[in-house]
Amino acid sequence: MYILKKALTYEEQIDRLEQFHSLIINDRNQAKEILKSVNYYRLSGYGIGLKEKTDKEKYIQGTSLDLLYSLYQFDSNLRNLLIHTIEYIEIQFRSHISYLLAMKYDAEGYMASNNFKDKTLKNGESAHSNIIKHLTEELDRQRNTPFVKHHLNQYSGHFPIWVAIELFTFGNLASLYSIMKDDDKKAIARLYKTNYNLLISWILSLVETRNICAHYGRLYNALLKQAPRLLVKHKIYRQKYNKLFPVILAMKYILFNKLNIWQDLYTKLTKLLIQNSSVINLSFMGFPQNWEIVLSS
């Protein structure tokens, strides 16, 4: 039998943070306002790596609630910065896949399983049919959206790939790419001057990062599931634990011919990191000491 923890008032939370967790509270009124805007469970994630080695319940001497809140604010700004660039990459990737499938297999060629590799999921379901199932569910969910309603009424529910592609999640888009025939995958990868294996790993890492950003998750000191494969010259930055820096490198690779977009991201990222240098620990995100040189060269 389990017993849930007792709910605490803001005042009780502050007392517990001070007395049980040894967290410095500089101003109780300000602390109360912080806890009203961001609950402590979310804030506590930014305390990972800031606990005593001998007592994981207590923070390292000198750690304050103000510091955790500053890390939370930094992370929020970081997510907002990255998601805009990922959005550009995602939309461009959609366009490339849509164009290739439309030109090679016609408007509804994406519906035919024989235009893709015969891949089976762990549950025995066809990967292609699973993707189409998710598309059908999204069509039903968005049936009152003007462009969906238009195609349901005017074209008896037939959706050309250049329309249907807009209803794919980024994750389903990656799945669609993964089951494309080898020649088709290679054609897309050539647009990024790379090979399929590298490109799909970059895209999958961005799918995860995008989802974290979209759901207000934590990137700072987070362990990521998807590790992008790095170019030979950057393999030194591959880590035991998957952190954010390799994902930033993946974005740099993908934007190799969109230097204005990469430069804008690099400039804003550099500014954000410098502004928060007294708060953040760059190694918590996998950034090496020479990160500026690596990202700018």
Side-chain angles (χ1 to χ4, degrees), residues 113 116-120 126-127 179:
S113 60
F116 297 87
K117 299 184 79 169
D118 184 18
K119 182 178 178 181
T120 303
S126 158
I179 65 168

Side-chain angles (χ1 to χ4, degrees), residues 196-210:
Y196 157 73
N197 290 317
L198 286 174
L199 180 58
I200 190 61
S201 79
W202 300 345
I203 293 298
L204 288 173
S205 73
L206 293 185
V207 168
E208 180 183 11
T209 304
R210 181 262 174 211

Side-chain angles (χ1 to χ4, degrees), residues 37-92:
S37 62
V38 187
N39 77 54
Y40 177 65
Y41 186 76
R42 179 178 287 268
L43 276 179
S44 65
Y46 297 94
I48 295 174
L50 299 176
K51 298 288 184 66
E52 294 282 0
K53 291 183 179 180
T54 56
D55 186 347
K56 296 301 181 182
E57 292 294 345
K58 296 189 182 300
Y59 285 94
I60 296 170
Q61 186 175 4
T63 306
S64 67
L65 181 63
D66 292 341
L67 172 61
L68 299 190
Y69 187 56
S70 293
L71 289 172
Y72 162 77
Q73 291 177 307
F74 162 77
D75 198 45
S76 178
N77 290 327
L78 179 62
R79 291 195 306 269
N80 290 335
L81 175 60
L82 294 183
I83 198 167
H84 288 299
T85 305
I86 295 174
E87 176 187 355
Y88 174 86
I89 292 171
E90 178 184 346
I91 290 173
Q92 182 190 59

Side-chain angles (χ1 to χ4, degrees), residues 197-290:
N197 290 317
L198 286 174
L199 180 58
I200 190 61
S201 79
W202 300 345
I203 293 298
L204 288 173
S205 73
L206 293 185
V207 168
E208 180 183 11
T209 304
R210 181 262 174 211
N211 289 341
I212 291 172
C213 292
H215 295 96
Y216 320 112
R218 176 171 52 84
L219 287 175
Y220 181 77
N221 204 18
L223 297 179
L224 305 177
K225 296 177 182 178
Q226 297 290 341
R229 296 177 65 174
L230 302 181
L231 301 182
V232 173
K233 66 179 180 178
H234 290 145
K235 283 190 176 180
I236 190 176
Y237 306 116
R238 188 169 54 190
Q239 303 134 351
K240 179 179 179 181
Y241 301 106
N242 302 328
K243 295 295 184 76
L244 184 64
F245 186 72
V247 179
I248 304 294
L249 281 174
M251 295 171 75
K252 176 179 169 66
Y253 299 155
I254 290 173
L255 295 169
F256 78 96
N257 65 343
K258 298 293 180 181
L259 295 181
N260 60 321
I261 294 174
W262 167 252
Q263 189 59 46
D264 182 60
L265 173 62
Y266 171 75
T267 300
K268 291 177 179 177
L269 178 62
T270 301
K271 182 179 179 181
L272 179 64
L273 296 177
I274 291 174
Q275 285 177 338
N276 291 273
S277 59
S278 63
V279 173
I280 62 176
N281 184 331
L282 287 170
S283 68
F284 281 12
M285 297 180 289
F287 277 66
Q289 290 185 341
N290 64 335

Side-chain angles (χ1 to χ4, degrees), residues 162-205:
W162 53 87
V163 177
I165 202 80
E166 297 301 322
L167 294 164
F168 279 66
T169 65
F170 198 10
N172 282 336
L173 188 67
S175 296
L176 183 68
Y177 179 56
S178 72
I179 65 168
M180 288 169 66
K181 292 184 176 180
D182 287 345
D183 287 345
D184 297 339
K185 289 189 290 192
K186 289 176 182 177
I188 296 293
R190 280 195 295 271
L191 297 173
Y192 296 93
K193 290 191 175 180
T194 189
N195 61 58
Y196 157 73
N197 290 317
L198 286 174
L199 180 58
I200 190 61
S201 79
W202 300 345
I203 293 298
L204 288 173
S205 73

